[in-house]
């Protein structure tokens, strides 16, 4: 079960990167995420907010079968 949970996150992020330039985009995203949240603790809601803003996502479709979102 745990490998599924942790593997799913990597898979979902990779899907996003594939749609937006693969390796270079992954590096840019991770660097931006790191510098923005360095030394901070964030929750799922903030992670989703950052990803949606960064990739200009209009809805929560990407996260529906991945994360539990509170409405």
């Amino acid at each position: 079960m745990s490998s599924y949970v942790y593997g799913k996150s990597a898979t979902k992020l990779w899907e996003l990167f594939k749609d937006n330039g693969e390796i270079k985009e992954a590096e840019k995203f991770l660097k931006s995420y790191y510098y923005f949240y360095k030394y901070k603790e964030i929750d799922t809601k903030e992670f989703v907010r950052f990803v949606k803003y960064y990739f200009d996502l209009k809805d929560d479709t990407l996260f529906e079968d991945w994360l539990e979102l509170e409405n």
Side-chain angles (χ1 to χ4, degrees):
M1 175 70 173
S2 65
S3 63
Y4 172 75
V5 171
Y6 293 111
K8 188 163 190 143
S9 295
T11 300
K12 287 293 194 177
L13 285 173
W14 187 249
E15 287 175 14
L16 212 70
F17 300 146
K18 279 180 36 180
D19 294 341
N20 292 286
E22 292 192 22
I23 298 298
K24 288 191 185 281
E25 189 57 41
E27 290 174 0
K28 283 174 41 182
F29 170 82
L30 292 172
K31 184 181 279 189
S32 180
Y33 182 84
Y34 172 78
Y35 283 114
F36 195 76
Y37 293 109
K38 168 170 65 171
Y39 308 119
K40 298 177 185 171
E41 291 184 32
I42 67 164
D43 58 11
T44 302
K45 185 177 180 178
E46 182 60 20
F47 173 76
V48 169
R49 189 204 64 76
F50 182 83
V51 172
K52 286 175 68 174
Y53 174 80
Y54 188 90
F55 289 105
D56 194 29
L57 303 176
K58 303 300 183 206
D59 59 31
D60 294 337
T61 305
L62 173 74
F63 309 101
E64 286 177 352
D65 63 339
W66 173 20
L67 301 171
E68 290 183 22
L69 303 177
E70 296 176 13
N71 291 332

